[in-house]
Amino acid sequence: MPAPHMTAAAALALALAASGTARAAAPPASSGEAASPDRCAMLAAIAVDQAGRIVDAREGQRVLPPPYPGQPPAVLPAHCEVTGLLQERTGRLGQHYAIHYRLRMPQAWNGRLLFQGGGGTDGDLGNAIGDTGSAAPSALARGFAVVSQDSGHDNATNTDPAWGGQTVFGTDPVARRNYGHASLPLVTRAAKSLVASYYGKKADHSYFFGCSKGGQEGMAAAQRYPDLFDGIVAGAPGFALPRAGLNEVWSVQHFAALARQQTGRPATVASIAATFTPAQFGLVRGAVLDACDAADGLADGITADFRRCTAKAVLAQLKNKACRAGEGGDCLTDAQIRTLASVMDGPRDGRGRALYAPWTWDAGVGSPMWSSWRIGSAQMPALDVVLGGAAMATVFSTPAIAVSPAPDALLAFQQGLTLPAAERAIYARDAQFPTSAWQDIGMHSADLSAFFARGGKLMVPHGAADPVFSLLDTLAWWDRVNARFGTTTQDHLKVYPVPGMAHCFGGPAVSDYDLLQPMVDWVEHGTAPVIVARAGGQTPWPGRTRPLCAWPRVARYRDGDREKADSFVCTQ
Ligand code: CA
């Protein structure tokens, strides 16, 4: 056994030498040099500092099944795959918990580590490939070591039908804190330690890349653990997740009321899905474009200057689409227009006080991905109900509220809530939960002083038609950061509104952009990012390009080819 004071790298070298293989006796692999499979398997046999219990270490599979049906399989470079776990324990309700992680270390290493953020309520180990949500190669293919984690609970085992199914972890104070932030430093240190042992040198730079819940994790790192990463991409950050849960309740209650009015019966997830047809959402998009498309200098189907797209301007256009007695064709009822207006205004209490944020009237409102959250479809209940209801009950409320994961049970729970009571539960503490859900999960602070002081860089892309987390909440946070740091803000933080884009991707948007390489250039060379986005094949304009502009600038048409980014300029 290695002596306790021995470093992990020294222990590995000793273990490799003891194995008697010629390759093991070689000096540690360095950046760009191939590390051997023998070295990889050896990681499982020795104790690596801070890595916890290593479950497996072996040469990773080179081809993975496609993430979604119809996509090509993922082809990976030669690499060492390590799975491990930390903090094994038995928690409340007899649930067995651990923080599971997966680390892939490519043989051809570029000297960098990337932490891949989670999604939704986590509980999934993640593939540790470092997909960047663009057509560009994954981080692993570019030579990054990539780590992912489940944030301390496992959807396959930590599930209880009395407590929302896979959200039962919210009943356990340690599991809730790990989900909110506490697992991040533990997994990052484990990954850094394993990287140092495997390659024989520390990573030169460390990055974080995530969206949605992963964006919340990026914000947690920047605010609470500023030493972990040099660069963080925190897309569509769920950094006010419990308050966004209040919005889901508000929205569901309004669409449920509309469904009741339309059918004369109690609302169901099916009748909510039928409150608007796709053609009627097309009318909504048309009204937004009529009101605001040209405000950015060009009627091109993109509302880049969304500040000009006020509720007043759009509602005037929606009234032009209202149903009139005796006229046929698609139209919107007054009740539909009133419901949309209330939902887009965001949740308020009985006295009119805002409980979250309003929403941008963007040309992506009503897109299929937008409506999958708000009303759902015949095939799938609204995500605001099935994800929002379970999380509000068991993760965002103290004490946790028992609820069935059945969609209509979650709908009944959301319809029965009063928003002031739900808000109080977000901030409540008790004997078992010394910190509130807001303290555990809300990462809304504008104090980035420690992260900025160490030279950290933060990029925050966010869709203007995101139905889960409001772009306007992110921009209100940017206002607070900017008020605090003034002109130095732009040296460390770039918020990129993406007109038309739904949650992290999708929608009628020019939204294929790679932020990873610009982030590396910004961190390692001080090169200010210049980013051009491309429209994908599912949009109305495949191949169209636009500059991605850092707030408070937006892309305005100057002159030239309407399809090309260089015809536009980023300006306030
Ligand atoms: Ca336009």
Side-chain angles (χ1 to χ4, degrees):
M1 287 293 291
H5 63 271
M6 188 177 285
T7 66
L12 179 63
L14 183 71
L16 289 169
S19 76
T21 67
R23 295 184 72 175
S30 61
S31 179
E33 184 182 326
S36 81
D38 294 347
R39 248 187 124 69
C40 180
M42 201 59 71
L43 290 171
I46 60 158
V48 178
D49 297 346
Q50 307 195 31
R53 181 156 73 83
I54 293 175
V55 175
D56 198 12
R58 65 173 70 186
E59 203 173 347
Q61 285 184 43
R62 301 292 298 278
V63 180
L64 296 186
Y68 300 103
Q71 288 188 331
V75 179
L76 313 186
H79 67 280
C80 169
E81 177 183 358
V82 180
T83 50
L85 47 82
L86 301 155
Q87 210 186 71
E88 288 174 272
R89 67 193 177 86
T90 299
R92 293 192 65 203
L93 303 174
Q95 294 280 328
H96 299 290
Y97 290 106
I99 303 166
H100 303 84
Y101 63 86
R102 188 202 305 274
L103 171 64
R104 295 188 198 271
M105 296 182 282
Q107 285 188 20
W109 185 43
N110 67 13
R112 303 181 182 98
L113 170 68
L114 183 118
F115 195 125
Q116 169 182 318
T121 49
D122 289 345
D124 184 287
L125 186 53
N127 59 18
I129 291 175
D131 181 76
T132 57
S134 73
S138 70
L140 186 70
R142 299 184 213 190
F144 288 74
V146 183
V147 66
S148 59
Q149 62 143 353
D150 66 3
S151 84
H153 63 275
D154 180 353
N155 288 338
T157 60
N158 298 128
T159 180
D160 184 336
W163 295 93
Q166 294 172 339
T167 54
V168 65
F169 73 90
T171 63
D172 184 281
V174 175
R176 190 172 80 179
R177 205 157 48 243
N178 276 336
Y179 169 71
H181 62 87
S183 61
L184 291 170
L186 303 179
V187 172
T188 307
R189 286 172 198 140
K192 287 184 174 179
S193 189
L194 281 161
V195 161
S197 292
Y198 182 60
Y199 294 111
K201 70 185 278 284
K202 290 180 180 176
D204 300 321
H205 291 92
S206 297
Y207 296 88
F208 185 95
F209 202 104
C211 196
S212 187
K213 175 58 172 66
Q216 180 268 355
E217 292 159 7
M219 288 291 188
Q223 294 168 23
R224 298 182 76 126
Y225 309 106
D227 294 334
L228 294 183
F229 303 106
D230 305 298
I232 295 172
V233 177
F239 60 163
L241 242 176
R243 284 192 169 276
L246 296 178
N247 180 80
E248 288 168 324
V249 172
W250 167 266
S251 180
V252 167
Q253 290 183 348
H254 278 79
F255 282 109
L258 179 61
R260 275 200 308 275
Q261 188 179 339
Q262 289 176 340
T263 64
R265 307 164 71 92
T268 63
V269 290
S271 66
I272 288 176
T275 51
F276 281 79
T277 65
Q280 287 175 318
F281 276 137
L283 294 179
V284 174
R285 171 173 163 81
V288 172
L289 291 173
D290 289 347
C292 324
D293 190 350
D296 53 25
L298 183 66
D300 58 351
I302 296 172
T303 47
D305 193 359
F306 50 86
R307 282 168 296 199
R308 307 273 287 277
C309 220
T310 61
K312 188 178 172 190
V314 175
L315 287 170
Q317 293 298 329
L318 283 171
K319 290 204 168 65
N320 291 336
K321 318 276 186 188
C323 302
R324 292 183 179 82
E327 287 183 19
D330 288 320
C331 60
L332 298 167
T333 66
D334 289 342
Q336 284 177 316
I337 294 173
R338 277 199 307 275
T339 300
L340 267 186
S342 296
V343 167
M344 296 296 288
D345 188 43
R348 293 180 182 278
D349 68 9
R351 296 194 300 272
R353 183 175 59 97
L355 299 177
Y356 176 53
W359 299 81
T360 34
W361 283 100
D362 173 275
V365 170
S367 74
M369 193 169 161
W370 186 94
S371 61
S372 73
W373 283 84
R374 289 286 178 269
I375 67 170
S377 66
Q379 292 75 35
M380 192 178 71
L383 296 171
D384 277 348
V385 174
V386 290
L387 292 184
M392 177 53 74
T394 57
V395 184
F396 303 155
S397 298
T398 302
I401 301 164
V403 69
S404 157
D408 279 315
L410 294 171
L411 173 60
F413 164 73
Q414 286 178 309
Q415 286 191 272
L417 275 180
T418 63
L419 284 173
E423 186 192 26
R424 280 195 298 277
I426 285 172
Y427 292 94
R429 294 177 288 174
D430 64 17
Q432 279 165 333
F433 283 87
T435 47
S436 69
W438 182 259
Q439 287 173 304
D440 287 348
I441 303 167
M443 297 294 150
H444 223 218
S445 170
D447 184 2
L448 298 169
S449 49
F451 186 65
F452 285 7
R454 55 103 73 202
K457 309 292 188 191
L458 176 58
M459 290 182 179
V460 185
H462 198 148
D466 187 330
V468 191
F469 304 123
S470 173
L471 170 62
L472 296 181
D473 183 52
T474 292
L475 297 183
W477 170 83
W478 181 90
D479 282 340
R480 288 191 284 128
V481 175
N482 195 48
R484 187 175 185 129
F485 297 98
T487 52
T488 57
T489 304
Q490 287 289 332
D491 297 334
H492 299 279
L493 169 64
K494 306 281 185 192
V495 173
Y496 297 108
V498 186
M501 190 170 79
H503 188 49
C504 299
F505 59 90
V510 183
S511 56
D512 180 358
Y513 46 81
D514 175 38
L515 296 184
L516 184 55
Q517 187 58 46
M519 174 58 93
V520 166
D521 292 339
W522 197 18
V523 165
E524 299 180 20
H525 309 295
T527 311
V530 176
I531 295 156
V532 172
R534 177 175 292 272
Q538 304 300 314
T539 70
W541 340 272
R544 169 182 279 187
T545 57
R546 291 287 183 268
L548 196 60
C549 299
W551 186 254
R553 294 187 169 86
V554 299
R556 285 180 206 287
Y557 181 64
R558 193 175 42 191
D559 56 35
D561 188 336
R562 297 158 48 112
E563 302 304 309
K564 297 264 167 44
D566 57 13
S567 306
F568 293 77
V569 60
C570 291
T571 178
Q572 267 185 272

